[in-house]
Amino acid sequence: MEELIEEIYELVKKKMSEQGAYDRNSYKMLIDETIVYFHEKGKMTDNDNEKFIVDQLMQKWEFVREELSY
């Protein structure tokens, strides 16, 4: 599960940087978008605890904000 969270996290950070989307709402939107993408690609299933994954990723917001502010 941690590997999946990290993979989503890295992709979301990349999308944020590419799109110039640096606020918390954009971060959440990109998490949701990436989860949908992972479902479509078969990297996630309905058995994955999506709420837990989103919660874990949202807890990383401060790290993302600091990282992207440089």
Side-chain angles (χ1 to χ4, degrees), residues 1 14-16 24-25 34 46 50 52 56 68:
M1 178 76 70
K14 181 178 179 185
K15 286 181 178 185
M16 288 180 76
R24 193 172 197 275
N25 288 335
T34 303
D46 291 338
E50 194 172 308
F52 175 77
Q56 292 295 304
L68 294 175

Side-chain angles (χ1 to χ4, degrees), residues 12 15-16 19 21 26-34:
V12 167
K15 286 181 178 185
M16 288 180 76
Q19 296 178 18
S26 297
Y27 179 64
K28 173 67 167 84
M29 184 188 70
L30 289 170
I31 288 171
D32 294 341
E33 182 182 294
T34 303

Side-chain angles (χ1 to χ4, degrees), residues 23-59:
D23 61 41
R24 193 172 197 275
N25 288 335
S26 297
Y27 179 64
K28 173 67 167 84
M29 184 188 70
L30 289 170
I31 288 171
D32 294 341
E33 182 182 294
T34 303
I35 286 174
V36 168
Y37 173 75
F38 274 40
H39 275 289
E40 290 171 353
K41 295 297 180 187
K43 291 185 173 195
M44 285 181 72
T45 67
D46 291 338
N47 294 333
D48 289 310
N49 187 341
E50 194 172 308
K51 182 182 178 342
F52 175 77
I53 292 169
V54 171
D55 288 345
Q56 292 295 304
L57 289 164
M58 289 307 294
Q59 288 179 19

Side-chain angles (χ1 to χ4, degrees), residues 1-9 52-53 56-57 60:
M1 178 76 70
E2 187 60 39
E3 244 179 63
L4 179 61
I5 292 171
E6 194 60 33
E7 191 173 349
I8 293 169
Y9 179 66
F52 175 77
I53 292 169
Q56 292 295 304
L57 289 164
K60 294 180 177 229

